[in-house]
Amino acid sequence: PNMQKWLMDEAESDDVKSALNGGVFIPSNLTIFATMNSSDQNVFTLDTAFKRRWSFEQISNDIERDTEHKYKGWYVPGTRVTWESFLTKLNEQILDNKIHNQTNEDKRLGKYFVTKECLTEEVEDVANVQDAASAFAYKVLEYVWNDVCKIGREDWFDVEIYKTLEDLIEAFLHPEEGKNPLSVFQNITF
């Protein structure tokens, strides 16, 4: 009733208002497509409720075999590393980095985790692509720092140098002479 009232108040057409008099209904042919990451722990009960009520299908996260991905060959800003190569290597590291013998499968980045605005179509110096580098850093590095390696961060980054996420992002955006932005990672060669 609240939605019906709101829609009737907002409707400009008398025909629409008349149609709403009978109520608001969800059509029987409505299909909802959505993606879900089960590692979002604050919605765990909602995930469980959805899983009980609807059918789910696992979608492949294999970017190497995805011939439709439009920017998998684009570059991590300031590097010669493609999104495909970076994603594959990072996800392998996530799977290999078990904490208390628990898998980190749900922590993997999806092949569409970033948009093309976070990447560069050509290899460019990071100083020339600061908008894309910043978008990449705040999307990817923030996720890895706060979610993937919240425990065991020292296995991923030199925590003596990068004491905060701010330090890490600054080093990514302005790498030392002779280094590239991905030099912030330790124990991973991209």
Side-chain angles (χ1 to χ4, degrees):
N2 292 337
M3 184 180 289
Q4 179 184 14
K5 180 184 179 330
W6 182 83
L7 288 170
M8 288 181 74
D9 291 345
E10 294 295 316
E12 295 178 9
S13 161
D14 288 336
D15 290 339
V16 171
K17 287 181 182 184
S18 176
L20 288 169
N21 270 332
V24 177
F25 300 94
I26 297 174
S28 62
N29 63 347
L30 175 68
T31 303
I32 298 174
F33 290 95
T35 61
M36 181 174 71
N37 180 342
S38 57
S39 72
D40 294 334
Q41 296 168 8
N42 58 334
V43 294
F44 179 77
T45 54
L46 187 59
D47 291 348
T48 303
F50 284 159
K51 288 176 184 175
R52 284 194 322 262
R53 290 168 175 83
W54 289 288
S55 59
F56 283 75
E57 178 182 335
Q58 178 75 32
I59 298 173
S60 172
N61 195 33
D62 187 349
I63 194 169
E64 293 173 345
R65 288 192 281 179
D66 186 346
T67 58
E68 302 295 318
H69 198 290
K70 302 271 191 256
Y71 52 89
K72 72 180 188 176
W74 288 30
Y75 298 91
V76 173
T79 75
R80 296 183 175 280
V81 178
T82 64
W83 171 239
E84 177 181 359
S85 177
F86 174 84
L87 180 71
T88 301
K89 189 69 172 175
L90 188 74
N91 281 342
E92 286 172 2
Q93 183 74 13
I94 290 170
L95 289 174
D96 290 344
N97 192 18
K98 295 179 179 177
I99 298 170
H100 304 297
N101 231 11
Q102 300 291 317
T103 181
N104 284 332
E105 183 178 358
D106 280 351
K107 299 289 186 188
R108 293 177 302 158
L109 277 68
K111 55 189 171 183
Y112 291 100
F113 187 82
V114 299
T115 61
K116 60 185 176 182
E117 287 75 27
C118 298
L119 304 167
T120 59
E121 200 166 358
E122 304 294 329
V123 174
E124 299 196 41
D125 187 273
V126 71
N128 299 332
V129 289
Q130 284 289 290
D131 288 345
S134 182
F136 184 90
Y138 281 101
K139 183 77 173 178
V140 175
L141 294 181
E142 191 276 336
Y143 176 72
V144 172
W145 181 270
N146 285 327
D147 289 311
V148 172
C149 64
K150 183 182 267 186
I151 299 170
R153 200 172 277 153
E154 62 279 355
D155 294 334
W156 293 78
F157 306 105
D158 185 338
V159 294
E160 294 298 316
I161 297 173
Y162 313 120
K163 292 180 175 31
T164 66
L165 175 61
E166 182 180 356
D167 293 341
L168 183 69
I169 290 175
E170 179 61 26
F172 181 88
L173 295 175
H174 304 100
E176 293 177 10
E177 187 70 33
K179 293 187 175 184
N180 75 50
L182 294 177
S183 297
V184 297
F185 288 94
Q186 69 179 10
N187 304 323
I188 309 175
T189 305
F190 293 100

